Amino acid sequence: QVQLVESGGGLVQAGGSLRLSCAASGRTLGIYAMGWFRQAPGKEREFVARITWSLGITYYADSVKGRFTISRDNAKNTVYLQMNSLKPEDTAVYYCSSDSAPGPASTRYWGQGTQVTVSS
C-alpha cells in the first residue's frame, strides 16, 4: 500500500497563493503517477492536476491551467501543487492521489485531504 499525507492548505484571499505538499510512504516504488483532485461542498470530486513519476509529464484541468503548477521531488517522494491567482471557486478540500499504472487497471490511493478556502 501507499500512504499519502497532504499539508499546506489554509485560508487565503482571492489573488493569493498557496502551496500544497503530499508526502508518499510505503510501496512508493510502485507509483506511476501522482495527482491532485478537489471536492467543493455539494459537488463531485474533480481532477485538478497529475504528474507522471518517472518522466514528469504533467496534465491540468482547464480551470487551473496557467495558475496551478504540479511538481515532484522523487528523492523525497513528495508532490507539490503551487496554486497562484486563487479564486473563490477554488475553495475545496484538496486530495492527493497516487496511481500504480496508466490505465484502468491502476490501483489508486488517496490522502485524507486538506482544506483550501479562498475568500473574496
Side-chain angles (χ1 to χ4, degrees):
Q1 287 198 352
V2 176
Q3 292 80 42
L4 304 172
V5 178
E6 302 104 330
S7 60
L11 173 63
V12 65
Q13 289 188 333
S17 298
L18 281 175
R19 189 177 83 153
L20 306 182
S21 300
C22 175
S25 61
R27 302 187 68 174
T28 57
L29 288 179
I31 294 176
Y32 169 78
M34 292 185 69
W36 292 93
F37 289 72
R38 66 187 182 186
Q39 188 167 18
K43 294 187 177 182
E44 293 187 353
R45 191 173 298 188
E46 64 175 5
F47 167 77
V48 175
R50 187 175 192 236
I51 187 166
T52 61
W53 209 240
S54 177
L55 298 180
I57 300 171
T58 58
Y59 306 86
Y60 296 95
D62 288 343
S63 59
V64 306
K65 278 181 183 176
R67 301 188 299 122
F68 291 11
T69 302
I70 189 170
S71 61
R72 89 269 193 240
D73 184 330
N74 296 63
K76 295 182 179 180
N77 290 324
T78 299
V79 66
Y80 305 97
L81 186 68
Q82 178 66 42
M83 305 185 294
N84 299 328
S85 302
L86 282 161
K87 305 175 182 179
E89 50 263 45
D90 294 318
T91 295
V93 177
Y94 283 70
Y95 296 91
C96 177
S97 68
S98 71
D99 292 317
S100 62
S106 174
T107 298
R108 174 167 286 173
Y109 295 98
W110 296 98
Q112 81 286 356
T114 185
Q115 177 70 46
V116 171
T117 303
V118 184
S119 64
S120 57

